Amino acid sequence: MIIAENVHVHFRRGLLRRKLQALNGLSLEVYDGDFFALVGQNGAGKSTAMYCLLGLLQPTSGKVEVMGKTPELGSQLYQSVAYLPEEPHYHLYLTVEEATRYYSALYRRRVSDKAINDVLERLGLAQFKTLPLSKCSKGMKQKVGIAQCLIHETRLLFLDEPTRGLDPLVVREFREALREIHQRGATIVMNSHVLSEIEMLANRVAIIDRGKVVVQDELQNLLTLDRELYGVTFEPNGSMPDYIGSIERVGTVVKASIPKERLYDFMDYTKNSGLSVHECSLKKTSLEDSFFKIVKDGRAQA
Amino acid sequence: MAEVLKANILANFAFYRRSRLLMAFALAFLLLTGLSSLPALFNNSGVQSFNALQQIFSILNVFLLFLAGGLGLFIISSHLRNRSLKMVFTKPCSPALWLASAILSAALVSLLLHGVVLTSAVVLSLVWKVPVRAGLVFVSADTFIASLGIVAYMMLLATLVHPAIAVTLVLIFNAEMFYDAQVWTQAVIRSGNASVALRVLEHIFHGLYLVLPMIHAYGKQTDVVNTSLRVLHGDWKYLLYSLGYVLVLTAFCYFVALFALQRKRHI
């Protein structure tokens, strides 16, 4: 669906035209039907990568192909592509209904009033139809963006930090809408800082660091990247064995982790010392853990 | 394609409708017409009424030229600044189509406002019992044609530079200024100071005068019509010439602005 090969982007900034390397040989591949997440720190190059994939930014060098074509502004390629930018990049002078109608009309397909009204009703925007986007909350604006994906059969959807600044209720609604669009067969490329959300939605992840993809894999592989640990919560009464790690004290209670092979040693220790154990469960590596480990390892190698 | 063009034009109309620019136009229009009409209420001769009408009409037409600049400037600079074009160009709507719709929208709004001013002038003529002269139509058409050129030129500048720089270029560094500068250097050369630097400067000013767009390309030929509001048979051809000049200018501005828009690394 999307191929980016060795993409370099650099900007010239300031009076001295200092070179700023935004992408440094970025390569990635998104398959048809993926829910693909671009993860990285601020300034890692996620948004720049997305702009290149969308054709909004011309790479300095390298190749980008979306559905077999090089993305060019406003080309026919976008017939089945939708993009939800960060908050301010909508036509703020239009009302909710006007914006929905306008964005739909740009797809060169006739959309009935009923279809527009139905989708606004479904997204809970019907009562705000006449409200200008400049006066809408971020959640409402994002719903206007989502409306176009529901009106047209979008094959490829790009989301740039879609849930930043949204309240938890709207995030949940938004997540459900994304799941529905994905289930309809759309490929989704999302760029987000919220790793827990990516864990819930994405099936493939690319971790970007300093303008380069350091890891690109199935989410499941990244979640089980490290050896498995047990997470334990107990009340110690003195010194603790060496194999207990990641110790975090909350009052008299200790939250810690132990390697899987030391589980029976830990059970003996708590039994012999007469300690009360509140919780003991298999602890899987989170995307956050993997992310930090990969970025740290990558930098150490560099 | 027509559907997309229509959608863009309707969105641009909404932009103009909700911008304070047109609100300012409406207020200034009422104020200028109202204030300029006051003395005419006490006129008891046809000549005085005609002079008042000619003055009001002239002021409003100059105002429309400024407004045309605003229409062209704001539609581009506002969309570029808000980055809302991302939402347009990531759909099957090319920059060429969007830019064409922006020019058309500004031209249509300008046409509408010229219509309002012309109708007002005709109404005032009837109320003050001044003969409705063909010059009203001629001047309106001439100003509208000039407005088209200004719209296109401002759109080009807004695509290339910051709006403040664009306004400075149009208000100060325009063809008239370089014409005056050329006349001044010629006068100095004729008075005996024929240094090489001055001759080079004169050529530069002349070149810039030729390159920069003119508001009224045939202003000298049609100046009498503006004051007398009488049109001779031979005057109408200058409208066609002006239209030709403006169409070429608009096409040039359109293609350069399109090139600049497509070459922008970051929309």
Side-chain angles (χ1 to χ4, degrees), chain B residues 12 15-16 70-85 98-99 102-103 151-152 154-161 163 257 261 264:
Chain B
N12 292 338
F15 169 79
Y16 286 132
L71 292 174
L73 181 78
F74 287 120
I75 193 90
I76 300 288
S77 65
S78 169
H79 283 88
L80 282 177
R81 201 178 59 238
N82 292 344
R83 296 209 162 162
S84 52
L85 289 181
W98 184 82
L99 201 60
I103 290 182
V151 164
M154 287 310 285
M155 281 188 176
L156 168 64
L157 290 178
T159 315
L160 297 174
V161 293
L261 202 60
K264 269 192 189 296

PDB file of all heavy atoms in Angstrom, chain B residues 12 15-16 70-85 98-99 102-103 151-152 154-161 163 257 261 264:
ATOM      1  N   ASN B  12     -15.196  29.693  -0.694  1.00  0.00           N
ATOM      2  CA  ASN B  12     -14.547  31.014  -0.717  1.00  0.00           C
ATOM      3  C   ASN B  12     -15.553  32.138  -0.467  1.00  0.00           C
ATOM      4  O   ASN B  12     -15.227  33.132   0.188  1.00  0.00           O
ATOM      5  CB  ASN B  12     -13.833  31.237  -2.054  1.00  0.00           C
ATOM      6  CG  ASN B  12     -12.642  30.328  -2.213  1.00  0.00           C
ATOM      7  OD1 ASN B  12     -12.096  29.835  -1.230  1.00  0.00           O
ATOM      8  ND2 ASN B  12     -12.231  30.062  -3.438  1.00  0.00           N
ATOM      9  N   PHE B  15     -15.971  32.343   3.068  1.00  0.00           N
ATOM     10  CA  PHE B  15     -14.805  33.022   3.646  1.00  0.00           C
ATOM     11  C   PHE B  15     -14.988  34.538   3.577  1.00  0.00           C
ATOM     12  O   PHE B  15     -14.797  35.250   4.561  1.00  0.00           O
ATOM     13  CB  PHE B  15     -13.539  32.597   2.889  1.00  0.00           C
ATOM     14  CG  PHE B  15     -12.319  33.409   3.219  1.00  0.00           C
ATOM     15  CD1 PHE B  15     -11.605  33.160   4.374  1.00  0.00           C
ATOM     16  CD2 PHE B  15     -11.894  34.437   2.385  1.00  0.00           C
ATOM     17  CE1 PHE B  15     -10.478  33.910   4.693  1.00  0.00           C
ATOM     18  CE2 PHE B  15     -10.780  35.194   2.691  1.00  0.00           C
ATOM     19  CZ  PHE B  15     -10.073  34.931   3.852  1.00  0.00           C
ATOM     20  N   TYR B  16     -15.376  35.025   2.389  1.00  0.00           N
ATOM     21  CA  TYR B  16     -15.559  36.471   2.234  1.00  0.00           C
ATOM     22  C   TYR B  16     -16.713  36.983   3.091  1.00  0.00           C
ATOM     23  O   TYR B  16     -16.625  38.043   3.699  1.00  0.00           O
ATOM     24  CB  TYR B  16     -15.822  36.818   0.765  1.00  0.00           C
ATOM     25  CG  TYR B  16     -14.596  36.731  -0.117  1.00  0.00           C
ATOM     26  CD1 TYR B  16     -14.625  36.068  -1.329  1.00  0.00           C
ATOM     27  CD2 TYR B  16     -13.391  37.321   0.268  1.00  0.00           C
ATOM     28  CE1 TYR B  16     -13.500  35.994  -2.147  1.00  0.00           C
ATOM     29  CE2 TYR B  16     -12.260  37.251  -0.540  1.00  0.00           C
ATOM     30  CZ  TYR B  16     -12.330  36.586  -1.744  1.00  0.00           C
ATOM     31  OH  TYR B  16     -11.221  36.512  -2.542  1.00  0.00           O
ATOM     32  N   GLY B  70      -7.518  43.542  -1.452  1.00  0.00           N
ATOM     33  CA  GLY B  70      -7.781  42.799  -0.209  1.00  0.00           C
ATOM     34  C   GLY B  70      -8.378  41.430  -0.479  1.00  0.00           C
ATOM     35  O   GLY B  70      -7.993  40.435   0.135  1.00  0.00           O
ATOM     36  N   LEU B  71      -9.290  41.377  -1.441  1.00  0.00           N
ATOM     37  CA  LEU B  71      -9.936  40.090  -1.767  1.00  0.00           C
ATOM     38  C   LEU B  71      -8.901  39.074  -2.246  1.00  0.00           C
ATOM     39  O   LEU B  71      -8.917  37.911  -1.851  1.00  0.00           O
ATOM     40  CB  LEU B  71     -10.989  40.288  -2.865  1.00  0.00           C
ATOM     41  CG  LEU B  71     -12.238  41.096  -2.529  1.00  0.00           C
ATOM     42  CD1 LEU B  71     -13.082  41.314  -3.777  1.00  0.00           C
ATOM     43  CD2 LEU B  71     -13.069  40.410  -1.466  1.00  0.00           C
ATOM     44  N   GLY B  72      -8.008  39.544  -3.100  1.00  0.00           N
ATOM     45  CA  GLY B  72      -6.973  38.649  -3.637  1.00  0.00           C
ATOM     46  C   GLY B  72      -5.966  38.243  -2.581  1.00  0.00           C
ATOM     47  O   GLY B  72      -5.564  37.089  -2.495  1.00  0.00           O
ATOM     48  N   LEU B  73      -5.575  39.229  -1.790  1.00  0.00           N
ATOM     49  CA  LEU B  73      -4.528  38.983  -0.782  1.00  0.00           C
ATOM     50  C   LEU B  73      -5.001  38.018   0.302  1.00  0.00           C
ATOM     51  O   LEU B  73      -4.341  37.033   0.611  1.00  0.00           O
ATOM     52  CB  LEU B  73      -4.121  40.316  -0.152  1.00  0.00           C
ATOM     53  CG  LEU B  73      -3.027  40.260   0.907  1.00  0.00           C
ATOM     54  CD1 LEU B  73      -1.672  40.124   0.245  1.00  0.00           C
ATOM     55  CD2 LEU B  73      -3.040  41.510   1.771  1.00  0.00           C
ATOM     56  N   PHE B  74      -6.179  38.315   0.853  1.00  0.00           N
ATOM     57  CA  PHE B  74      -6.623  37.561   2.035  1.00  0.00           C
ATOM     58  C   PHE B  74      -6.994  36.116   1.720  1.00  0.00           C
ATOM     59  O   PHE B  74      -6.770  35.240   2.542  1.00  0.00           O
ATOM     60  CB  PHE B  74      -7.783  38.279   2.735  1.00  0.00           C
ATOM     61  CG  PHE B  74      -7.334  39.504   3.456  1.00  0.00           C
ATOM     62  CD1 PHE B  74      -7.829  40.744   3.135  1.00  0.00           C
ATOM     63  CD2 PHE B  74      -6.382  39.427   4.452  1.00  0.00           C
ATOM     64  CE1 PHE B  74      -7.399  41.891   3.789  1.00  0.00           C
ATOM     65  CE2 PHE B  74      -5.936  40.557   5.112  1.00  0.00           C
ATOM     66  CZ  PHE B  74      -6.449  41.787   4.779  1.00  0.00           C
ATOM     67  N   ILE B  75      -7.547  35.884   0.555  1.00  0.00           N
ATOM     68  CA  ILE B  75      -7.963  34.502   0.247  1.00  0.00           C
ATOM     69  C   ILE B  75      -6.735  33.576   0.206  1.00  0.00           C
ATOM     70  O   ILE B  75      -6.788  32.432   0.640  1.00  0.00           O
ATOM     71  CB  ILE B  75      -8.773  34.426  -1.074  1.00  0.00           C
ATOM     72  CG1 ILE B  75      -9.457  33.074  -1.233  1.00  0.00           C
ATOM     73  CG2 ILE B  75      -7.931  34.667  -2.300  1.00  0.00           C
ATOM     74  CD1 ILE B  75     -10.809  32.984  -0.680  1.00  0.00           C
ATOM     75  N   ILE B  76      -5.627  34.105  -0.290  1.00  0.00           N
ATOM     76  CA  ILE B  76      -4.413  33.275  -0.367  1.00  0.00           C
ATOM     77  C   ILE B  76      -3.692  33.244   0.977  1.00  0.00           C
ATOM     78  O   ILE B  76      -3.404  32.174   1.519  1.00  0.00           O
ATOM     79  CB  ILE B  76      -3.453  33.813  -1.458  1.00  0.00           C
ATOM     80  CG1 ILE B  76      -4.115  33.804  -2.823  1.00  0.00           C
ATOM     81  CG2 ILE B  76      -2.143  33.008  -1.466  1.00  0.00           C
ATOM     82  CD1 ILE B  76      -4.316  32.458  -3.457  1.00  0.00           C
ATOM     83  N   SER B  77      -3.432  34.432   1.515  1.00  0.00           N
ATOM     84  CA  SER B  77      -2.595  34.471   2.732  1.00  0.00           C
ATOM     85  C   SER B  77      -3.290  33.779   3.903  1.00  0.00           C
ATOM     86  O   SER B  77      -2.645  33.083   4.676  1.00  0.00           O
ATOM     87  CB  SER B  77      -2.225  35.907   3.089  1.00  0.00           C
ATOM     88  OG  SER B  77      -3.369  36.621   3.439  1.00  0.00           O
ATOM     89  N   SER B  78      -4.605  33.925   3.998  1.00  0.00           N
ATOM     90  CA  SER B  78      -5.319  33.305   5.112  1.00  0.00           C
ATOM     91  C   SER B  78      -5.249  31.775   5.015  1.00  0.00           C
ATOM     92  O   SER B  78      -4.984  31.097   6.008  1.00  0.00           O
ATOM     93  CB  SER B  78      -6.778  33.770   5.094  1.00  0.00           C
ATOM     94  OG  SER B  78      -7.527  33.011   5.970  1.00  0.00           O
ATOM     95  N   HIS B  79      -5.454  31.241   3.812  1.00  0.00           N
ATOM     96  CA  HIS B  79      -5.410  29.780   3.653  1.00  0.00           C
ATOM     97  C   HIS B  79      -3.995  29.236   3.828  1.00  0.00           C
ATOM     98  O   HIS B  79      -3.818  28.149   4.362  1.00  0.00           O
ATOM     99  CB  HIS B  79      -5.982  29.364   2.295  1.00  0.00           C
ATOM    100  CG  HIS B  79      -7.476  29.409   2.251  1.00  0.00           C
ATOM    101  ND1 HIS B  79      -8.172  30.536   1.906  1.00  0.00           N
ATOM    102  CD2 HIS B  79      -8.401  28.476   2.551  1.00  0.00           C
ATOM    103  CE1 HIS B  79      -9.465  30.287   1.972  1.00  0.00           C
ATOM    104  NE2 HIS B  79      -9.639  29.047   2.365  1.00  0.00           N
ATOM    105  N   LEU B  80      -3.013  30.007   3.381  1.00  0.00           N
ATOM    106  CA  LEU B  80      -1.630  29.536   3.548  1.00  0.00           C
ATOM    107  C   LEU B  80      -1.227  29.596   5.019  1.00  0.00           C
ATOM    108  O   LEU B  80      -0.577  28.697   5.535  1.00  0.00           O
ATOM    109  CB  LEU B  80      -0.662  30.393   2.723  1.00  0.00           C
ATOM    110  CG  LEU B  80      -0.617  30.110   1.221  1.00  0.00           C
ATOM    111  CD1 LEU B  80       0.335  31.073   0.530  1.00  0.00           C
ATOM    112  CD2 LEU B  80      -0.181  28.679   0.937  1.00  0.00           C
ATOM    113  N   ARG B  81      -1.632  30.674   5.690  1.00  0.00           N
ATOM    114  CA  ARG B  81      -1.262  30.852   7.095  1.00  0.00           C
ATOM    115  C   ARG B  81      -1.940  29.792   7.970  1.00  0.00           C
ATOM    116  O   ARG B  81      -1.314  29.226   8.857  1.00  0.00           O
ATOM    117  CB  ARG B  81      -1.659  32.259   7.557  1.00  0.00           C
ATOM    118  CG  ARG B  81      -0.904  32.746   8.773  1.00  0.00           C
ATOM    119  CD  ARG B  81      -1.298  34.157   9.145  1.00  0.00           C
ATOM    120  NE  ARG B  81      -2.709  34.296   9.425  1.00  0.00           N
ATOM    121  CZ  ARG B  81      -3.523  35.126   8.785  1.00  0.00           C
ATOM    122  NH1 ARG B  81      -3.066  35.895   7.836  1.00  0.00           N
ATOM    123  NH2 ARG B  81      -4.798  35.189   9.091  1.00  0.00           N
ATOM    124  N   ASN B  82      -3.222  29.523   7.694  1.00  0.00           N
ATOM    125  CA  ASN B  82      -3.953  28.517   8.502  1.00  0.00           C
ATOM    126  C   ASN B  82      -3.608  27.084   8.115  1.00  0.00           C
ATOM    127  O   ASN B  82      -4.042  26.159   8.781  1.00  0.00           O
ATOM    128  CB  ASN B  82      -5.467  28.678   8.316  1.00  0.00           C
ATOM    129  CG  ASN B  82      -5.959  29.948   8.922  1.00  0.00           C
ATOM    130  OD1 ASN B  82      -5.267  30.556   9.723  1.00  0.00           O
ATOM    131  ND2 ASN B  82      -7.135  30.369   8.533  1.00  0.00           N
ATOM    132  N   ARG B  83      -2.897  26.966   7.023  1.00  0.00           N
ATOM    133  CA  ARG B  83      -2.522  25.638   6.504  1.00  0.00           C
ATOM    134  C   ARG B  83      -3.742  24.769   6.188  1.00  0.00           C
ATOM    135  O   ARG B  83      -3.663  23.541   6.254  1.00  0.00           O
ATOM    136  CB  ARG B  83      -1.611  24.919   7.486  1.00  0.00           C
ATOM    137  CG  ARG B  83      -0.300  25.612   7.670  1.00  0.00           C
ATOM    138  CD  ARG B  83       0.737  24.615   8.015  1.00  0.00           C
ATOM    139  NE  ARG B  83       2.054  25.162   7.795  1.00  0.00           N
ATOM    140  CZ  ARG B  83       3.134  24.630   8.330  1.00  0.00           C
ATOM    141  NH1 ARG B  83       3.033  23.575   9.091  1.00  0.00           N
ATOM    142  NH2 ARG B  83       4.303  25.151   8.094  1.00  0.00           N
ATOM    143  N   SER B  84      -4.849  25.394   5.924  1.00  0.00           N
ATOM    144  CA  SER B  84      -6.055  24.614   5.644  1.00  0.00           C
ATOM    145  C   SER B  84      -6.000  24.009   4.238  1.00  0.00           C
ATOM    146  O   SER B  84      -6.812  23.150   3.907  1.00  0.00           O
ATOM    147  CB  SER B  84      -7.296  25.478   5.812  1.00  0.00           C
ATOM    148  OG  SER B  84      -7.163  26.653   5.067  1.00  0.00           O
ATOM    149  N   LEU B  85      -5.041  24.454   3.437  1.00  0.00           N
ATOM    150  CA  LEU B  85      -4.924  23.881   2.092  1.00  0.00           C
ATOM    151  C   LEU B  85      -4.520  22.411   2.140  1.00  0.00           C
ATOM    152  O   LEU B  85      -4.700  21.684   1.173  1.00  0.00           O
ATOM    153  CB  LEU B  85      -3.915  24.680   1.258  1.00  0.00           C
ATOM    154  CG  LEU B  85      -4.383  26.069   0.834  1.00  0.00           C
ATOM    155  CD1 LEU B  85      -3.325  26.759   0.003  1.00  0.00           C
ATOM    156  CD2 LEU B  85      -5.682  25.991   0.052  1.00  0.00           C
ATOM    157  N   TRP B  98      -7.790  24.821  -7.397  1.00  0.00           N
ATOM    158  CA  TRP B  98      -8.089  25.655  -6.227  1.00  0.00           C
ATOM    159  C   TRP B  98      -7.756  27.120  -6.506  1.00  0.00           C
ATOM    160  O   TRP B  98      -8.525  28.020  -6.175  1.00  0.00           O
ATOM    161  CB  TRP B  98      -7.322  25.166  -4.994  1.00  0.00           C
ATOM    162  CG  TRP B  98      -7.711  25.964  -3.795  1.00  0.00           C
ATOM    163  CD1 TRP B  98      -8.807  25.792  -3.008  1.00  0.00           C
ATOM    164  CD2 TRP B  98      -7.028  27.122  -3.285  1.00  0.00           C
ATOM    165  NE1 TRP B  98      -8.847  26.763  -2.049  1.00  0.00           N
ATOM    166  CE2 TRP B  98      -7.782  27.585  -2.187  1.00  0.00           C
ATOM    167  CE3 TRP B  98      -5.878  27.792  -3.660  1.00  0.00           C
ATOM    168  CZ2 TRP B  98      -7.389  28.705  -1.442  1.00  0.00           C
ATOM    169  CZ3 TRP B  98      -5.496  28.912  -2.921  1.00  0.00           C
ATOM    170  CH2 TRP B  98      -6.248  29.353  -1.827  1.00  0.00           C
ATOM    171  N   LEU B  99      -6.590  27.328  -7.144  1.00  0.00           N
ATOM    172  CA  LEU B  99      -6.167  28.704  -7.437  1.00  0.00           C
ATOM    173  C   LEU B  99      -7.137  29.364  -8.416  1.00  0.00           C
ATOM    174  O   LEU B  99      -7.489  30.539  -8.256  1.00  0.00           O
ATOM    175  CB  LEU B  99      -4.745  28.676  -8.009  1.00  0.00           C
ATOM    176  CG  LEU B  99      -3.956  29.968  -7.919  1.00  0.00           C
ATOM    177  CD1 LEU B  99      -3.773  30.409  -6.485  1.00  0.00           C
ATOM    178  CD2 LEU B  99      -2.607  29.820  -8.584  1.00  0.00           C
ATOM    179  N   ALA B 102     -10.093  30.380  -6.565  1.00  0.00           N
ATOM    180  CA  ALA B 102      -9.842  31.568  -5.725  1.00  0.00           C
ATOM    181  C   ALA B 102      -9.947  32.835  -6.566  1.00  0.00           C
ATOM    182  O   ALA B 102     -10.568  33.825  -6.156  1.00  0.00           O
ATOM    183  CB  ALA B 102      -8.462  31.460  -5.076  1.00  0.00           C
ATOM    184  N   ILE B 103      -9.361  32.818  -7.769  1.00  0.00           N
ATOM    185  CA  ILE B 103      -9.428  33.992  -8.655  1.00  0.00           C
ATOM    186  C   ILE B 103     -10.876  34.248  -9.064  1.00  0.00           C
ATOM    187  O   ILE B 103     -11.357  35.386  -9.015  1.00  0.00           O
ATOM    188  CB  ILE B 103      -8.526  33.795  -9.900  1.00  0.00           C
ATOM    189  CG1 ILE B 103      -7.054  33.836  -9.483  1.00  0.00           C
ATOM    190  CG2 ILE B 103      -8.800  34.868 -10.952  1.00  0.00           C
ATOM    191  CD1 ILE B 103      -6.065  33.695 -10.618  1.00  0.00           C
ATOM    192  N   VAL B 151      -6.497  41.760  -8.337  1.00  0.00           N
ATOM    193  CA  VAL B 151      -6.762  40.487  -7.645  1.00  0.00           C
ATOM    194  C   VAL B 151      -5.661  39.473  -7.987  1.00  0.00           C
ATOM    195  O   VAL B 151      -5.050  38.858  -7.110  1.00  0.00           O
ATOM    196  CB  VAL B 151      -8.153  39.920  -8.033  1.00  0.00           C
ATOM    197  CG1 VAL B 151      -8.276  38.459  -7.661  1.00  0.00           C
ATOM    198  CG2 VAL B 151      -9.266  40.719  -7.365  1.00  0.00           C
ATOM    199  N   ALA B 152      -5.400  39.335  -9.283  1.00  0.00           N
ATOM    200  CA  ALA B 152      -4.409  38.334  -9.723  1.00  0.00           C
ATOM    201  C   ALA B 152      -3.015  38.686  -9.202  1.00  0.00           C
ATOM    202  O   ALA B 152      -2.272  37.811  -8.727  1.00  0.00           O
ATOM    203  CB  ALA B 152      -4.410  38.258 -11.238  1.00  0.00           C
ATOM    204  N   MET B 154      -2.191  40.539  -6.574  1.00  0.00           N
ATOM    205  CA  MET B 154      -2.114  40.363  -5.117  1.00  0.00           C
ATOM    206  C   MET B 154      -2.044  38.885  -4.746  1.00  0.00           C
ATOM    207  O   MET B 154      -1.373  38.494  -3.796  1.00  0.00           O
ATOM    208  CB  MET B 154      -3.321  41.006  -4.418  1.00  0.00           C
ATOM    209  CG  MET B 154      -3.302  42.506  -4.392  1.00  0.00           C
ATOM    210  SD  MET B 154      -1.777  43.234  -3.814  1.00  0.00           S
ATOM    211  CE  MET B 154      -1.866  42.954  -2.072  1.00  0.00           C
ATOM    212  N   MET B 155      -2.746  38.054  -5.512  1.00  0.00           N
ATOM    213  CA  MET B 155      -2.695  36.611  -5.255  1.00  0.00           C
ATOM    214  C   MET B 155      -1.283  36.088  -5.494  1.00  0.00           C
ATOM    215  O   MET B 155      -0.769  35.276  -4.723  1.00  0.00           O
ATOM    216  CB  MET B 155      -3.682  35.869  -6.148  1.00  0.00           C
ATOM    217  CG  MET B 155      -5.095  35.956  -5.637  1.00  0.00           C
ATOM    218  SD  MET B 155      -6.175  34.899  -6.585  1.00  0.00           S
ATOM    219  CE  MET B 155      -7.682  35.118  -5.680  1.00  0.00           C
ATOM    220  N   LEU B 156      -0.681  36.565  -6.556  1.00  0.00           N
ATOM    221  CA  LEU B 156       0.695  36.140  -6.849  1.00  0.00           C
ATOM    222  C   LEU B 156       1.629  36.556  -5.709  1.00  0.00           C
ATOM    223  O   LEU B 156       2.409  35.737  -5.201  1.00  0.00           O
ATOM    224  CB  LEU B 156       1.155  36.761  -8.173  1.00  0.00           C
ATOM    225  CG  LEU B 156       2.644  36.655  -8.476  1.00  0.00           C
ATOM    226  CD1 LEU B 156       3.065  35.208  -8.651  1.00  0.00           C
ATOM    227  CD2 LEU B 156       3.016  37.436  -9.721  1.00  0.00           C
ATOM    228  N   LEU B 157       1.524  37.827  -5.315  1.00  0.00           N
ATOM    229  CA  LEU B 157       2.410  38.325  -4.249  1.00  0.00           C
ATOM    230  C   LEU B 157       2.174  37.577  -2.936  1.00  0.00           C
ATOM    231  O   LEU B 157       3.117  37.238  -2.227  1.00  0.00           O
ATOM    232  CB  LEU B 157       2.206  39.832  -4.042  1.00  0.00           C
ATOM    233  CG  LEU B 157       2.703  40.730  -5.174  1.00  0.00           C
ATOM    234  CD1 LEU B 157       2.406  42.187  -4.863  1.00  0.00           C
ATOM    235  CD2 LEU B 157       4.198  40.560  -5.414  1.00  0.00           C
ATOM    236  N   ALA B 158       0.893  37.309  -2.624  1.00  0.00           N
ATOM    237  CA  ALA B 158       0.571  36.612  -1.371  1.00  0.00           C
ATOM    238  C   ALA B 158       1.128  35.185  -1.374  1.00  0.00           C
ATOM    239  O   ALA B 158       1.437  34.633  -0.322  1.00  0.00           O
ATOM    240  CB  ALA B 158      -0.937  36.583  -1.164  1.00  0.00           C
ATOM    241  N   THR B 159       1.244  34.598  -2.555  1.00  0.00           N
ATOM    242  CA  THR B 159       1.821  33.245  -2.647  1.00  0.00           C
ATOM    243  C   THR B 159       3.331  33.290  -2.434  1.00  0.00           C
ATOM    244  O   THR B 159       3.912  32.368  -1.875  1.00  0.00           O
ATOM    245  CB  THR B 159       1.540  32.626  -4.043  1.00  0.00           C
ATOM    246  OG1 THR B 159       0.186  32.867  -4.365  1.00  0.00           O
ATOM    247  CG2 THR B 159       1.802  31.144  -4.062  1.00  0.00           C
ATOM    248  N   LEU B 160       3.935  34.392  -2.888  1.00  0.00           N
ATOM    249  CA  LEU B 160       5.401  34.458  -2.851  1.00  0.00           C
ATOM    250  C   LEU B 160       5.954  35.033  -1.552  1.00  0.00           C
ATOM    251  O   LEU B 160       6.969  34.564  -1.050  1.00  0.00           O
ATOM    252  CB  LEU B 160       5.913  35.315  -4.016  1.00  0.00           C
ATOM    253  CG  LEU B 160       5.630  34.807  -5.433  1.00  0.00           C
ATOM    254  CD1 LEU B 160       6.070  35.839  -6.452  1.00  0.00           C
ATOM    255  CD2 LEU B 160       6.348  33.487  -5.689  1.00  0.00           C
ATOM    256  N   VAL B 161       5.292  36.067  -1.028  1.00  0.00           N
ATOM    257  CA  VAL B 161       5.865  36.783   0.132  1.00  0.00           C
ATOM    258  C   VAL B 161       4.814  36.963   1.233  1.00  0.00           C
ATOM    259  O   VAL B 161       3.630  36.678   1.048  1.00  0.00           O
ATOM    260  CB  VAL B 161       6.418  38.177  -0.284  1.00  0.00           C
ATOM    261  CG1 VAL B 161       7.611  38.049  -1.180  1.00  0.00           C
ATOM    262  CG2 VAL B 161       5.337  39.027  -0.931  1.00  0.00           C
ATOM    263  N   PRO B 163       2.160  38.780   3.560  1.00  0.00           N
ATOM    264  CA  PRO B 163       1.149  39.772   3.142  1.00  0.00           C
ATOM    265  C   PRO B 163       1.583  41.224   3.360  1.00  0.00           C
ATOM    266  O   PRO B 163       1.274  42.087   2.527  1.00  0.00           O
ATOM    267  CB  PRO B 163      -0.055  39.447   4.022  1.00  0.00           C
ATOM    268  CG  PRO B 163       0.162  38.097   4.576  1.00  0.00           C
ATOM    269  CD  PRO B 163       1.591  37.743   4.423  1.00  0.00           C
ATOM    270  N   ALA B 257       1.986  31.974  -9.749  1.00  0.00           N
ATOM    271  CA  ALA B 257       1.494  31.635  -8.398  1.00  0.00           C
ATOM    272  C   ALA B 257       1.318  30.119  -8.266  1.00  0.00           C
ATOM    273  O   ALA B 257       1.663  29.536  -7.230  1.00  0.00           O
ATOM    274  CB  ALA B 257       0.167  32.342  -8.132  1.00  0.00           C
ATOM    275  N   LEU B 261       3.166  27.771  -5.674  1.00  0.00           N
ATOM    276  CA  LEU B 261       2.364  26.957  -4.742  1.00  0.00           C
ATOM    277  C   LEU B 261       2.787  25.487  -4.804  1.00  0.00           C
ATOM    278  O   LEU B 261       2.918  24.814  -3.782  1.00  0.00           O
ATOM    279  CB  LEU B 261       0.884  27.097  -5.119  1.00  0.00           C
ATOM    280  CG  LEU B 261      -0.163  26.793  -4.056  1.00  0.00           C
ATOM    281  CD1 LEU B 261      -0.008  27.699  -2.865  1.00  0.00           C
ATOM    282  CD2 LEU B 261      -1.564  26.944  -4.641  1.00  0.00           C
ATOM    283  N   LYS B 264       6.193  24.995  -3.217  1.00  0.00           N
ATOM    284  CA  LYS B 264       6.303  25.188  -1.765  1.00  0.00           C
ATOM    285  C   LYS B 264       6.583  23.838  -1.145  1.00  0.00           C
ATOM    286  O   LYS B 264       5.838  22.886  -1.376  1.00  0.00           O
ATOM    287  CB  LYS B 264       4.999  25.763  -1.203  1.00  0.00           C
ATOM    288  CG  LYS B 264       4.982  27.257  -1.182  1.00  0.00           C
ATOM    289  CD  LYS B 264       3.824  27.752  -0.353  1.00  0.00           C
ATOM    290  CE  LYS B 264       3.664  29.250  -0.491  1.00  0.00           C
ATOM    291  NZ  LYS B 264       4.775  30.031   0.005  1.00  0.00           N
TER     292      LYS B 264
END
